[in-house]
């Protein structure tokens, strides 16, 4: 599993890449930078590999994550002077924030990432935690960003929230934020920003004035929310239903947020109710002519905050049965998932989604391809990158109301064959 | 006895570091200094930065405290606290030991780094201390041991030295190390005598030469040993003694002495100053300076990538190249001795290739769809203490899935010096039917991505090919396959189709989409044909000829009619299938010629320019000629990160310009100035939609009709609007 899942280095880089206008510069070999750079280009919609266009020193054919192209002799002598040159090159491009990060090998030899001189706001991560979870790397980078940009305490603005735990690495991150923003605004709640996902340096200070921090993905929110609480007095709420995905979890999440802010959730709940009726119409047709989706099997893989609400939705709402469930890292919702599986008599469900036949497989695009390509399923629903369909022009959120409808629609699509 | 009343808690903490050659007495000096500072009423925190973790034992009555690294190794993060690692010693001084690995394994420098990070995280600054003393191992041998020299830490640095030359040499090196950080923090030299004559003179000459004072001269004395036997410092056991007074004066210097910038000497100057003689000439061999040692490799490999041969910037790493190659072999378990990040990056490459192929072609290399990958997940404690246990665990997991295991090493495992081969031997000793093929890539120590692919192919071939396999008529190996190419399966299907029509078949796909039996049975085929013309295929071809006696045809699988007929003809001659080949060739030629006229009608008279990263573009020029497209300009741009097919000879050499030193925008401008209708380039170049741009595939489809499929795109493209509507919008 560790081999297939994005881990702490990716988490840290994506947290830095989530700052609009930033440059993330890596001290390390090219092998450590190619994939993160390519991934960032895809998820933040900024260019693509083209060595004929991006043929500059440090960038090596890509538009993101320049590096010092360390080799084995640099592990002996260090690459400080080249890193200084990269730092000079990066600051001359006037990024909104400059993040400097060591690769595992550079970290091992103790490469220092501080330089004297005028520079944009700079954050350095000399020792990204090795072999830790994506969330761990992400939160370590988020804390470094907050410490580095050091927002000052601000008077909380009523009925405002920050959405914590979203990463630009998440499928449909922009549209998910937009979807949740719309729902909350129906309740009179304004989203100030989503730290780590498309925020800008000025948003860092704005975020200090939120009345509440709200966990979207709680495995990535604990340390960040604690920092806000300790340094800026911003309180935090986490919904035990996990991420706002699936009608039940979405409603519970909205109610929890509104309750904490003393806002009225009914306008948003009314919108959800209308979508429920629409979904009912489609599902009842399928039920009437095929007796589906009740009893169909599904396998599910992802981070706990996604797996928990998706599991409930597909089992309790659609009536499908899990045959394999696995979580790519640890998190507060993991216990809920395990408890639920036991309660529905599926405590012995396989944890190997890649090897389990199922009517529907829900996972990242590569796992979906791996299952479909080996004939173990006919229907796949992507819950994470890499995506089978990287071109995305229509809004296609993973979370919120749009995400819920997406989840239902795509889970049923393959069953109609 | 000397007491000086110093008010405790003097505001911000003063931090000092003691460096010096191993065994010179730093820990003894540090402990006595701490004791003296304590007797002066100051609160001291002493941090021992040495895997031997014996810095503070004289302050703790001979006891050794728990170390930071042991806590990291044995505790969960939420259970870690300062209480677990801070011990209270003589006069309430606080003692911390970093600890680290056993001799010969792991990375002690990483241990020091991790210690400092963890102490900061646990809030070491909240401890009630006026002075922090860092007692640091030996020489500044790597970045980890230099942590106390960083700006956030020691404000004053002392060097402990005897009068022996190597001790002074080490002291001089430490001054060089300090210069890499803030050089203006040297406080002086502490002369710890061995009792040799003229020792003091040497130290004083050195100190004068580098511009530092000798702040203490500590004579050799049995009192140190006496005190040590009782687990105490001299200051504690006999504070009134002259020896103790030296440490009290040193303590005063710590509190009130100045800092300055030192000027380290060159090696030659050092010899002159310290020993008073001219240094001997350097050792020379064969008329040249002895080259410095490089990594683990004793000699460069015989089969190299271009990046390695020319010592260029390495594109990608050998680790990933080797892993990808191994993952493409069905039934082979691949163990990656690395942190998770390296494994993830490599597995993603395989899975992304499978996903793209599956979406585009509906078929992918099966072993890429479900990688048989196992990672040792090197974490912080592994980096410090050595990763062998994690590696052995990963190998055991792999053996539970299959008997054949490939083992690839990463940058971190190479840096910490894990004996990967020994670990493999130890695990496979309990698995009589198991095989481990070890690839010591050490990340990119072996080279770039392509070097890793070459190394893996060589390792798999030498480990698996059965030399006794009996050749069977009609079988052909395909060599130099690129498993991550999206059209890999499609190309192999075409090749198989042609071979079937000649009564032949593919034996082994070396290496991409084959299995262990396929590699073992390599010699069942008498002949091999190259899948590509690049350096990778060239190296593999040479290796198989030289080491396995393989017969590799000169003509590779190729796009276009001529290329297809070339390999068909050569294979036919080698396998006595000329008449079948002639009939087939006639059929292919007819298909090609029948496909030409409608395309020629659309494209004849058009003008094209080529900017290619491949040198092997004869097939492309043939296609333009066959369709009556006028080739205005063809440039091949040399790039170190590309397929490296520069050994390939061109039939159309006279029409191609090979550019080694160029500016891409100038090349594009040059091409565009000639007024082409079509610009064929490996990647889109910036022409703002002024001309139809079509890509030259990175790995072209093979086959007699493949280039005509490209030409169909050109014909369609010329009917597209000159400037598409979307370009008028702005993102």
């Amino acid at each position: 599993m560790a081999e297939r899942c994005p881990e702490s280095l990716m988490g840290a880089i994506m947290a830095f890449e989530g700052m609009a206008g930033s440059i993330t510069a890596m001290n390390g070999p090219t092998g450590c930078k190619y994939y993160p750079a390519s991934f960032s280009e895809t998820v933040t919609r900024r260019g693509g590999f083209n060595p004929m266009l991006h043929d500059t020193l440090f960038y090596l054919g890509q538009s993101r994550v320049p590096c010092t192209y360390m080799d084995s002799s640099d592990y002996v002598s260090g690459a400080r002077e080249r890193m200084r040159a990269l730092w000079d090159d990066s600051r001359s491009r006037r990024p909104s924030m400059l993040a400097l990060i060591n690769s595992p090998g550079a970290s091992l030899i103790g490469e220092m990432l501080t330089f004297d001189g005028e520079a944009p706001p700079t954050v350095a991560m000399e020792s990204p935690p090795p072999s830790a979870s994506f969330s761990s790397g992400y939160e370590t980078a988020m804390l470094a960003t907050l410490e580095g940009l050091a927002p000052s305490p601000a008077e909380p603005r009523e009925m405002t929230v920050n959405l914590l735990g979203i990463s630009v690495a998440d499928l449909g991150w922009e549209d998910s934020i937009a979807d949740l923003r719309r729902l909350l605004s129906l309740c009179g709640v304004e989203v100030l920003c989503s730290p780590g996902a498309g925020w800008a340096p000025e948003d860092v200070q704005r975020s200090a004035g939120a009345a509440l921090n709200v966990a979207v993905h709680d495995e990535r929110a604990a340390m960040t929310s604690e920092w806000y609480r300790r340094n800026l007095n911003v309180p935090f709420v986490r919904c035990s239903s996990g991420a706002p995905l699936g009608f039940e979890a979405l409603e519970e999440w909205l109610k929890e947020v509104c309750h904490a802010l003393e806002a009225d959730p009914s306008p948003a709940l009314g919108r959800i109710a209308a979508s429920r009726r629409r979904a009912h119409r489609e599902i009842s047709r399928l039920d009437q002519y095929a007796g589906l989706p009740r009893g169909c099997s599904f396998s599910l893989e992802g981070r706990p905050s996604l797996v928990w609400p998706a599991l409930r939705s597909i089992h309790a709402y659609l009536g499908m049965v899990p045959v394999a469930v696995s979580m790519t890292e640890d998190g507060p919702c993991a216990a809920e998932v395990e408890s639920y599986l036991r309660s529905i008599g599926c405590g012995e469900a396989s944890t190997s989604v890649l090897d389990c036949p199922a009517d529907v497989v829900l996972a990242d695009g590569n796992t979906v391809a791996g299952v479909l390509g080996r004939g173990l399923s006919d229907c796949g629903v992507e819950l994470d990158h890499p995506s089978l369909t990287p071109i995305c022009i229509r809004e296609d959120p993973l979370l919120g109301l749009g995400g819920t409808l997406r989840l239902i629609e795509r889970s049923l699509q393959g069953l109609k064959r | 006895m000397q007491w000086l009343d110093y008010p405790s808690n003097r505001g911000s903490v003063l931090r000092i570091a003691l460096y010096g050659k191993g065994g010179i007495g730093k820990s003894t000096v540090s402990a006595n200094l701490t004791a003296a500072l304590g007797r002066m009423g100051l609160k001291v925190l002493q941090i021992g930065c040495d895997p031997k973790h014996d810095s503070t034992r004289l302050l703790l009555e001979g006891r050794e405290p728990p170390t930071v690294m042991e806590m990291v190794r044995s505790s969960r993060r939420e259970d870690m606290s300062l209480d677990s690692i801070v011990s209270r010693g003589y006069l309430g001084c606080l003692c911390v030991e970093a600890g680290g690995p056993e001799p010969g394994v792991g990375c002690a420098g990483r241990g020091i780094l991790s210690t400092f990070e963890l102490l900061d995280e646990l809030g070491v600054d909240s401890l009630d201390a006026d002075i922090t003393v860092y007692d640091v191992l030996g020489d500044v041998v790597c970045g980890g041991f230099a942590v106390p020299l960083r700006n956030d830490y020691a404000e004053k640095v002392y060097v402990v030295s005897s009068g022996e030359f190597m001790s002074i040499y080490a002291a001089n090196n430490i001054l060089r190390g300090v210069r890499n950080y803030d050089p203006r923090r040297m406080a002086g030299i502490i002369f710890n005598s061995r009792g040799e004559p003229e020792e003091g003179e040497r130290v004083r000459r050195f100190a004068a030469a580098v511009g530092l004072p000798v702040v203490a001269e500590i004579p050799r004395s049995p009192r140190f040993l006496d005190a040590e036997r009782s687990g105490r410092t001299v200051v504690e056991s006999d504070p009134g003694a002259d020896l103790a007074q030296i440490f009290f004066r040193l303590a005063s210097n710590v509190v009130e002495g100045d800092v300055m910038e030192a000027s380290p000497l060159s090696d030659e100057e050092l010899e002159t100053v310290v020993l008073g003689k001219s240094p001997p000439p350097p050792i020379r061999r064969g008329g040249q300076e002895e080259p410095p040692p490089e990594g683990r490799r004793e000699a460069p490999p015989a089969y190299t990538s271009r990046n390695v041969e020319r010592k260029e910037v390495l594109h990608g790493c050998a680790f990933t190249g080797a892993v990808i190659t191994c993952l493409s072999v069905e039934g082979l378990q691949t163990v990656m001795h690395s942190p998770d990040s390296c494994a993830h990056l490599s597995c993603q490459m395989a899975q992304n290739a499978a996903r793209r192929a599956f979406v585009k072609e509906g078929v992918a290399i099966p072993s890429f769809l479900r990688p048989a990958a196992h990672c040792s997940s090197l974490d912080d404690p592994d980096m410090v203490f050595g990763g062998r246990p994690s590696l052995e665990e990963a190998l055991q997991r792999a053996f539970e899935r299959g008997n054949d295991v490939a083992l690839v090493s990463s940058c971190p495992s190479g840096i910490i010096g894990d004996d990967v081969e020994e670990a493999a031997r130890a695990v496979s000793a309990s698995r009589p039917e198991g095989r481990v093929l070890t690839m010591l890539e050490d990340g990119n120590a072996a080279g770039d991505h392509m070097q890793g692919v070459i190394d893996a192919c060589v390792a798999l071939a030498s480990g698996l090919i059965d030399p006794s396999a009996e050749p069977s008529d009609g079988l052909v190996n395909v060599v130099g396959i690129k498993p991550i190419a999206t059209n890999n399966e499609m190309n192999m299907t075409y090749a198989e189709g042609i071979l079937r029509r000649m009564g032949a078949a593919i034996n082994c796909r070396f290496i991409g989409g084959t299995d262990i039996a396929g590699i073992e049975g390599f010699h069942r085929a008498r002949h091999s044909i190259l899948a590509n013309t690049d350096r990778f295929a060239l190296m593999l071809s040479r290796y198989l000829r030289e080491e396995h006696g393989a017969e590799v045809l000169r003509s590779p699988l190729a796009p276009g009619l001529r290329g297809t007929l070339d390999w068909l003809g050569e294979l036919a001659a080698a396998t006595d299938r000329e008449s079948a080949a002639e009939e087939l060739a006639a059929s292919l030629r007819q298909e090609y010629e029948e496909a030409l006229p409608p395309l020629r009608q659309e494209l004849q008279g058009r003008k094209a320019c080529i900017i290619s990263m491949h040198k092997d573009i004869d097939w492309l020029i043939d296609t333009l000629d066959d369709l009556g497209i006028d080739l205005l300009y063809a440039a091949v741009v040399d790039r170190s990160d590309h397929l490296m097919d520069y050994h390939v000879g061109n039939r159309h050499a006279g029409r191609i310009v090979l550019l080694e030193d160029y500016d891409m925008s100038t090349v594009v401008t040059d091409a565009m100035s000639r007024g082409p209708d079509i610009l064929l380039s490996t990647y889109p170049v910036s022409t703002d939609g002024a001309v139809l741009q079509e890509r030259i595939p990175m790995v072209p489809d093979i086959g007699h009709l493949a280039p005509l499929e490209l030409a169909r795109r050109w014909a369609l493209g010329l009917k597209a609007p000159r400037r598409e509507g979307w370009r008028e919008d702005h993102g």
Side-chain angles (χ1 to χ4, degrees), chain B residues 26-45:
Chain B
K26 287 186 307 305
S27 297
T28 304
V29 170
S30 301
N32 276 277
L33 174 60
T34 294
L37 288 164
R39 287 191 77 93
M40 287 157 66
L42 292 163
K43 297 176 195 163
V44 186
L45 164 64

Side-chain angles (χ1 to χ4, degrees), chain A residues 30 50 107 126-127 131 355, chain B residues 110 117 150 314 316 370 378 684:
Chain A
T30 59
N50 188 332
S107 167
E126 294 179 355
S127 300
S131 298
D355 298 314
Chain B
R110 179 66 232 177
E117 284 168 1
R150 295 188 184 186
L314 298 177
R370 207 280 182 236
L378 289 177

Side-chain angles (χ1 to χ4, degrees), chain A residues 3-7 30 34-35 49-50 55 70 75 107 109-110 112 126-127 131 355 366 374 386-388, chain B residues 110 117 143 150 181 314-316 339-341 344 348 351-352 355 370 375 377-378 411 444 639 683-684:
Chain A
E3 304 82 16
R4 296 190 293 114
C5 300
E7 41 53 72
T30 59
Y34 277 135
Y35 182 66
F49 182 72
N50 188 332
D55 190 18
M70 286 178 85
Y75 287 134
S107 167
I109 66 169
M112 210 165 78
E126 294 179 355
S127 300
S131 298
D355 298 314
N366 278 351
R374 286 150 66 231
S387 175
L388 290 162
Chain B
R110 179 66 232 177
E117 284 168 1
R150 295 188 184 186
Y181 298 89
L314 298 177
H315 292 272
D340 284 347
S341 55
H344 173 63
Q348 279 300 308
Q351 290 191 281
N352 285 348
R355 186 190 80 248
R370 207 280 182 236
C375 180
S377 298
L378 289 177
C411 292
N444 70 355
R639 287 191 60 86
Y683 284 94

Side-chain angles (χ1 to χ4, degrees), chain B residues 602-621:
Chain B
E602 302 262 11
L603 294 168
Q604 189 158 22
R606 294 290 193 173
K607 301 175 177 45
C609 287
I610 295 174
I611 305 175
S612 174
M613 286 161 57
H614 298 70
K615 187 166 176 250
D616 184 10
I617 54 170
D618 281 344
W619 61 272
L620 187 59
I621 297 176

